[in-house]
Amino acid sequence: MTASAVAAVICIMAVLLPTYSAAAAAAPAPAAYRDDPYRACKQRAATLCGPSAFTFYLHNTVYNPAVDNKDYFNSVYGLSPNVTWPNPYSFGTTSTFEDPITEGPANTSQQIGVAQGLWQLDSKVGYTLFHIFTANITEGDYKGTISILGQIREADPVRYLTVVGGTGDFLGARGLATNRLVTIDHTAPATWTLSFDLDLYY
């Protein structure tokens, strides 16, 4: 190609490129993205694709054979650890739960979902519990799941866990879950309510 031909091609490109760029910018999102709110949100370069803050309350009632509350419980303990040495903090004890989630602190508040997961006492020198659970939110302005894990030290008035993911309106969520004990009653069967204030990023 001669120098004059190259120059002609460059001139044509200089004329057409702005038109092509403008058309590309105005093009609608691919069909797959239009059907996927999260991807469409990201394509619009939005900084937020879900709620930045979300609060819920988790209510736990332990099954206790001494009072035979088989009709109103939502958590069970596993077998006691098979150890021969003193175990004052029940190191190794596990509980599986399926707790109702409400929008307010009272257990009569509107239920918006259920939390399913487990915790384990993971210290030989104090009461600390490793939690891992999924909050399944089925009612309200936002619906989806939120995956949370981390350690709770019972003596701390404020505890912090990690949000590691989500689905639905919480797709791609990560962030901080601030946890507090709202109420506890050790009378059999033991019951308690926990609050979770989430700061979420996408």
Side-chain angles (χ1 to χ4, degrees), residues 29-46 48-50 168-171:
Y33 281 14
R34 289 198 299 273
D35 296 335
D36 186 332
Y38 176 74
R39 290 183 179 274
C41 173
K42 285 297 186 185
Q43 190 182 51
R44 292 195 301 271
L48 181 64
C49 294
D169 290 327
F170 306 99
L171 185 62

Side-chain angles (χ1 to χ4, degrees), residues 139-159:
E139 303 294 333
D141 294 334
Y142 302 103
K143 298 178 177 65
T145 68
I146 311 166
S147 297
I148 298 172
L149 63 83
Q151 189 179 70
I152 287 177
R153 182 172 176 267
E154 284 196 344
D156 293 338
V158 181
R159 306 85 170 252

Side-chain angles (χ1 to χ4, degrees), residues 1-13:
M1 184 179 291
T2 64
S4 59
V6 171
V9 170
I10 292 174
C11 288
I12 293 172
M13 290 178 64

Side-chain angles (χ1 to χ4, degrees), residues 19-31:
T19 302
Y20 172 78
S21 298

